Amino acid sequence: GGQWVALAHHRNDQAETLLLRLVRGTGGQGLQGMKEVAPLPSDPQIKIIRPLMGIMRADLETYCQLHQLPIRHDPTNDDPTYRRNQLRLQILPQLRTMNPQIDHTLARTAELLADEHDFLESHTHQLMQASLVVLPNGTLKFPLSVFDAQHIAIQRRLLRQMIHHIDP
């Protein structure tokens, strides 16, 4: 019966998520990383919140030690057969030799991309509302002149939003 699910994702998790998605070859939407507040995929009425997203893992561990709070270690996090653990245990330590602030840098990149994604989605939605015509039989009509006048990034978003309009 709850309306919120709180998760303990932190800033290092955000950096790992960005790298994992980059390796997978995702687009701008995937590179925005995890949102601090997002709908639960299985039930959008329930919200996921990530109140620790801005805090580094080391800072959380220090806080717990100072306040004598138990820290739970998941042994599966030590298994390098999982891709996220490969990043955490092997790749990120190497990247930290090049940039000691790489976790902050990657998390900040995800935040910047999220802001840009939100703006582009909003702009595309406004364009759709102004120009899209839905015929009684469900056919969508969008003026080709308006479509052609858009940047390729907006054109792709228009197509995705039209597809989503047809089949959510």
Side-chain angles (χ1 to χ4, degrees):
Q3 297 177 6
W4 302 89
V5 176
L7 301 177
H9 291 124
H10 45 74
R11 200 154 183 85
N12 299 81
D13 291 324
Q14 184 73 299
E16 293 167 4
T17 298
L18 176 71
L19 278 178
L20 281 171
R21 291 179 179 179
L22 185 63
V23 168
R24 187 182 74 207
T26 189
Q29 183 173 359
L31 293 177
Q32 66 181 314
M34 298 178 284
K35 297 247 186 205
E36 288 186 37
V37 178
L40 185 67
S42 61
D43 185 352
Q45 300 302 316
I46 298 174
K47 301 293 181 222
I48 294 172
I49 58 172
R50 296 178 174 96
L52 305 176
M53 190 65 84
I55 304 171
M56 297 297 291
R57 178 186 300 119
D59 295 333
L60 290 168
E61 290 172 353
T62 299
Y63 179 89
C64 288
Q65 289 169 355
L66 286 173
H67 293 87
Q68 299 177 348
L69 299 171
I71 298 173
R72 182 183 169 273
H73 177 73
D74 180 353
T76 64
N77 286 336
D78 300 326
D79 183 353
T81 59
Y82 296 108
R83 188 168 286 173
R84 181 175 291 273
N85 293 342
Q86 289 174 7
L87 280 172
R88 182 180 297 137
L89 302 171
Q90 298 165 2
I91 306 301
L92 278 165
Q94 288 180 352
L95 290 174
R96 287 184 194 110
T97 65
M98 297 168 60
N99 177 355
Q101 298 296 314
I102 192 67
D103 297 273
H104 284 294
T105 301
L106 292 169
R108 179 70 183 136
T109 298
E111 292 166 8
L112 293 171
L113 291 170
D115 291 342
E116 291 178 11
H117 172 77
D118 291 346
F119 169 77
L120 290 169
E121 283 296 299
S122 175
H123 174 75
T124 304
H125 183 73
Q126 291 172 5
L127 192 58
M128 285 265 296
Q129 292 212 309
S131 303
L132 183 69
V133 175
V134 181
L135 299 177
N137 66 358
T139 301
L140 303 182
K141 277 183 69 171
F142 193 89
L144 190 56
S145 60
V146 174
F147 184 83
D148 285 342
Q150 304 307 310
H151 186 277
I152 186 69
I154 300 298
Q155 289 177 347
R156 287 184 188 125
R157 289 170 188 278
L158 281 167
L159 290 173
R160 274 195 298 271
Q161 286 191 16
M162 284 187 233
I163 291 168
H164 184 75
H165 185 83
I166 293 168
D167 185 9

